[in-house]
Amino acid sequence: MAKGKPILIVDDDQEIRELLKEYLTRAGFDVLTACDGVEMYQQLALATPELIILDIMMPGDDGFSLCQQIRRKSQVPIIMLTAASDEADRVIGLELGADDYIAKPFSPRELMARIKALLRRAEFRQPEKEVVSGRKLKFAGWTLDSRTQLLTHEDGSSIDLTGSDFILLHLFLQHPGQILDRDAISDATRGRESLPMERGIDVQISRLRQKLGDNGKGPRIIKTIRGSGYMLIADVVHED
């Protein structure tokens, strides 16, 4: 999986950049580095990475701002580096479109596992990887195009979903009326089970509900099953 795949590391800490570059290069990745947003855009102008590792605390534009800017143009997987004790940073990062986060200090092996999980998800999202090419899923006034990841409402408005939001919604649409617990959702969207007290899944669900115009207190699409997980309660129609 790693052979030749470009990864961009954006971190103002030179030691971290060099350590990650050495480790990921040995694993077979083609590693690019940047110390801030300016260098990041210079690298993006020269190459298209398949994953970005983005630190939050940097001079100039911070990781939150850069994540938001990247998401306006690209669905490239993003892992954010956060302070170990700052849950608020992790939640904000996910809300802005990051796909995963890892807290400093971290082990290179854990980071590698996160990278491989996100790259597997990215491969799954490619049109040629779709189980049913071109299939459209209609529900509650919305239509999801599995090839383009475009979500369109019957009123004519549309949303270009982030990678993690697409996989999450697609997962629900493939299992209507079925309770999905947090571990099942986390495994499908992140390639791992959820961690104790982790709020990432709840944040993703909340973000998706907001985009769908769904109210958690009076849901029409995704219902919270207290103590169990979440369930898609809308009818789903499959069309080619």
Side-chain angles (χ1 to χ4, degrees):
M1 175 184 294
K3 188 175 181 180
K5 287 186 178 293
I7 288 181
L8 175 59
I9 300 168
V10 186
D11 196 311
D12 66 323
D13 189 318
Q14 182 177 356
E15 183 177 356
I16 289 179
R17 291 199 311 272
E18 291 177 351
L19 287 173
L20 290 181
K21 181 174 183 178
E22 180 181 358
Y23 182 80
L24 295 176
T25 299
R26 287 204 308 266
F29 291 101
D30 182 9
V31 182
L32 311 170
T33 64
C35 67
D36 57 20
V38 174
E39 282 197 0
M40 181 190 80
Y41 283 113
Q42 291 174 348
Q43 293 285 19
L44 291 176
L46 298 173
T48 303
E50 296 198 23
L51 183 142
I52 296 176
I53 299 172
L54 183 60
D55 188 32
I56 290 179
M57 299 301 295
M58 290 186 294
D61 289 340
D62 63 17
F64 295 138
S65 176
L66 294 176
C67 178
Q68 201 167 26
Q69 293 173 41
I70 292 169
R71 277 292 168 259
R72 291 172 184 160
K73 300 180 179 180
S74 171
Q75 303 306 320
V76 61
I78 297 175
I79 297 177
M80 300 203 77
L81 303 181
T82 73
S85 61
D86 202 336
E87 182 184 16
D89 281 356
R90 300 195 290 270
V91 172
I92 293 171
L94 291 170
E95 289 177 336
L96 292 176
D99 296 276
D100 203 352
Y101 61 83
I102 189 167
K104 296 179 180 179
F106 55 85
S107 73
R109 291 183 63 184
E110 181 184 4
L111 177 62
M112 180 65 72
R114 303 287 184 91
I115 290 172
K116 288 181 176 179
L118 285 179
L119 291 178
R120 283 195 300 269
R121 285 169 48 191
E123 288 180 358
F124 167 78
R125 292 199 303 267
Q126 296 300 318
E128 63 271 20
K129 299 293 183 178
E130 288 291 336
V131 175
V132 183
S133 180
R135 172 164 289 182
K136 294 182 179 181
L137 304 173
K138 294 191 172 185
F139 65 100
W142 292 95
T143 299
L144 178 67
D145 189 315
S146 298
R147 288 189 303 173
T148 65
Q149 300 185 25
L150 186 65
L151 182 65
T152 306
H153 194 264
E154 58 189 7
D155 66 7
S157 61
S158 62
I159 300 173
D160 190 8
L161 295 174
T162 65
S164 56
D165 286 343
F166 167 74
I167 291 180
L168 179 59
L169 178 56
H170 195 264
L171 177 68
F172 277 115
L173 294 176
Q174 294 294 335
H175 301 86
Q178 180 179 338
I179 298 175
L180 301 177
D181 63 26
R182 286 174 176 78
D183 284 342
I185 295 171
S186 184
D187 184 63
T189 59
R190 303 184 185 188
R192 60 177 174 83
E193 293 185 351
S194 61
L195 303 174
M197 305 303 291
E198 184 177 36
R199 291 186 55 202
I201 297 302
D202 299 315
V203 171
Q204 280 187 281
I205 297 289
S206 176
R207 182 176 64 198
L208 182 59
R209 277 174 168 160
Q210 185 176 14
K211 291 183 177 182
L212 295 172
D214 198 28
N215 188 334
K217 294 182 179 179
R220 299 178 301 107
I221 302 174
I222 299 173
K223 181 178 181 180
T224 301
I225 309 300
R226 190 172 299 276
S228 298
Y230 299 92
M231 180 171 65
L232 185 82
I233 57 176
D235 292 332
V236 180
V237 177
H238 295 240
E239 292 186 358
D240 291 332

